[in-house]
Amino acid sequence: MKRITLLTLFVALTLMASASTTLPVKGKVINPTDKNIQYIGRICFDNPMRPRFTFPGTQINARFTGTSLKMIAKPKSGYFMAQIDEAEPFKVSFMSEKDSVVTLATALSKGVHLVRLMYIIEGYDMKPDFRGFVLDEGGMLLEAPALPDRRIEFIGNSITCGYGNESYEKNDHFEYETENHYLTYAQQTTRDLHAVAHVVARSGIGVYRSYGGPKTGTPENVMTTEYEYTNLYDRSERWDFNRYQPQVVCINLGTNDLSTNNYDVKLLKQAYKKFLKQVRQHNPNAKIVYLCGSMLNGKELEIAQKTLNEVVEEAKTEGDQEVYRFDFTPHTGDLYYGADWHPSVWQHQKMAGELTAYLRALMHWF
């Protein structure tokens, strides 16, 4: 398979991404319950020693002292992006069957360092969990930096997840190794706006009908159902929306509803309206933006834009004045395709530029 090789280089003599090792390990183990670990995203703490998550974009951050850092997670948890201080982010793999400890950094200078970790794939098959850090003997965690005041929520499908964006062959199919949410329009926009984001997204999902579903819809397998829960395909915990109140919610759904020429526009519109009310109920003070693109084109693009415009205008007529619309430029292949015709990393960069400019003006985030 042809795919883009991410920059996983390290700053010489200060940062190294190495192969994983197995327990036991030397050093000071920091449990996930440590109050100085900063968590971002929908995470279930029903077992505090093994917080679990499935949505891409989930983050684990910490400030630490010492010259090295290891991370402990469930074997086969998937892929993360890691950044030590301001060095180049690199990909971390927990894909082997048994290894559960990965070295994130060695030979660091003495002093205080910052690690940022982001889960970059869809974890509903992996069922990942985080099990702590390993520091040098005598090392310790310090209070993590304060999070930005600007808060976004992204709700989406495979485009938002980053499906195949590390591939550059449109005939490639889905593989976890070529999905990288860190490089999506959502996370690039978040970084450009100096914001923090929660992400609720998975490939194939729709508003009333997920990919390849019957014309009548797939009510048990759509975002209106999944949005209520902490983890995908897991009904054990309803998400507590008081834990995170975004200032703006960006919804990019509809591509799968309009797939395979087997859709009902009336049902799609009903679902868009229902979901808008659902999101509003949980986020009463947020601006809500219905996005469109960038994979739709032709007839389906016209249907999606027309339907979304009607939904937004009707919501305003009914009294919700904080609902908006934004269209990405449809991709045409001039910036290459990712796997299965999905946006490439370059297309995601273009999308991020477009959305960043729009949100900056909408939110007055200058």
Side-chain angles (χ1 to χ4, degrees):
M1 170 181 290
K2 297 179 181 178
R3 61 187 180 89
I4 298 165
T5 301
L6 277 179
L7 292 176
T8 59
L9 300 179
F10 52 85
V11 177
L13 301 179
T14 62
L15 179 61
M16 182 176 72
S18 74
S20 55
T21 85
T22 53
L23 290 170
V25 295
K26 294 182 179 179
K28 180 179 181 180
V29 175
I30 304 296
N31 291 326
T33 55
D34 191 290
K35 63 182 178 60
N36 291 311
I37 297 177
Q38 183 181 79
Y39 294 99
I40 302 170
R42 292 194 176 191
I43 303 173
C44 179
F45 293 96
D46 56 358
N47 179 351
M49 293 296 289
R50 293 188 176 183
R52 53 193 179 89
F53 43 89
T54 54
F55 289 114
T58 301
Q59 296 180 57
I60 304 166
N61 303 326
R63 288 173 70 225
F64 64 98
T65 63
T67 62
S68 70
L69 178 69
K70 296 181 179 71
M71 173 184 174
I72 312 173
K74 173 188 171 184
K76 297 287 289 183
S77 280
Y79 292 101
F80 296 78
M81 286 291 280
Q83 184 178 26
I84 305 296
D85 300 327
E86 298 305 318
E88 186 72 31
F90 58 94
K91 185 181 281 190
V92 175
S93 173
F94 280 91
M95 290 298 286
S96 63
E97 294 289 341
K98 296 182 179 180
D99 288 344
S100 59
V101 183
V102 168
T103 298
L104 301 181
T106 62
L108 294 170
S109 60
K110 292 183 179 179
V112 179
H113 300 281
L114 174 64
V115 59
R116 299 181 183 92
L117 289 158
M118 179 182 292
Y119 194 61
I120 58 170
I121 64 171
E122 305 164 65
Y124 52 87
D125 285 332
M126 302 294 185
K127 297 179 174 58
D129 64 48
F130 171 66
R131 302 182 181 182
F133 292 116
V134 181
L135 304 179
D136 294 344
E137 291 292 354
M140 60 185 297
L141 293 190
L142 305 175
E143 185 177 0
L147 291 175
D149 293 330
R150 300 171 177 180
R151 300 180 304 278
I152 308 173
E153 180 174 71
F154 289 96
I155 304 171
N157 51 35
S158 57
I159 301 171
T160 302
C161 289
Y163 180 118
N165 60 352
E166 285 191 66
S167 173
Y168 60 93
E169 285 290 340
K170 61 190 179 187
N171 294 320
D172 286 344
H173 299 304
F174 179 82
E175 292 191 34
Y176 284 116
E177 67 176 332
T178 63
E179 180 175 67
N180 193 331
H181 178 73
Y182 185 88
L183 300 177
T184 60
Y185 77 90
Q187 290 301 333
Q188 293 185 64
T189 296
T190 300
R191 292 191 292 273
D192 289 343
L193 292 172
H194 304 289
V196 63
H198 276 210
V199 179
V200 184
R202 79 164 178 85
S203 295
I205 202 165
V207 188
Y208 99 94
R209 168 182 174 265
S210 291
Y211 183 81
K215 190 173 184 177
T216 53
T218 55
E220 294 302 314
N221 183 29
V222 288
M223 188 56 78
T224 51
T225 301
E226 297 295 343
Y227 188 64
E228 297 296 315
Y229 296 94
T230 302
N231 287 318
L232 277 170
Y233 300 136
D234 181 347
R235 302 294 186 259
S236 64
E237 180 181 274
R238 284 189 172 271
W239 175 245
D240 179 0
F241 288 89
N242 292 319
R243 288 170 60 180
Y244 184 79
Q245 280 289 297
Q247 293 149 319
V248 59
V249 179
C250 296
I251 306 171
N252 191 357
L253 294 169
T255 302
N256 293 301
D257 299 85
L258 294 169
S259 64
T260 63
N261 196 31
N262 188 35
Y263 49 82
D264 186 315
V265 178
K266 182 178 179 180
L267 292 177
L268 174 61
K269 182 175 179 179
Q270 290 174 354
Y272 272 141
K273 295 184 71 170
K274 175 184 176 182
F275 190 54
L276 177 59
K277 292 179 180 179
Q278 182 179 356
V279 172
R280 171 58 71 213
Q281 178 184 0
H282 292 308
N283 304 279
N285 300 313
K287 297 181 187 295
I288 300 174
V289 184
Y290 259 126
L291 312 177
C292 187
S294 62
M295 289 183 69
L296 292 173
N297 55 67
K299 175 185 175 183
E300 281 70 31
L301 176 59
E302 293 178 3
I303 290 172
Q305 291 175 333
K306 180 177 183 295
T307 304
L308 286 171
N309 289 341
E310 290 174 356
V311 168
V312 169
E313 287 306 311
E314 290 173 15
K316 289 180 179 294
T317 299
E318 294 168 4
D320 191 340
Q321 301 301 315
E322 298 294 346
V323 185
Y324 304 87
R325 279 275 294 112
F326 177 79
D327 293 322
F328 289 112
T329 300
H331 71 174
T332 60
D334 58 322
L335 294 174
Y336 303 97
Y337 290 105
D340 287 322
W341 301 80
H342 283 72
S344 65
V345 289
W346 298 284
Q347 189 71 40
H348 275 284
Q349 290 173 1
K350 180 177 182 178
M351 294 169 68
E354 294 173 347
L355 185 58
T356 297
Y358 176 80
L359 292 182
R360 196 181 298 282
L362 177 68
M363 303 302 296
H364 304 288
W365 285 349
F366 298 105

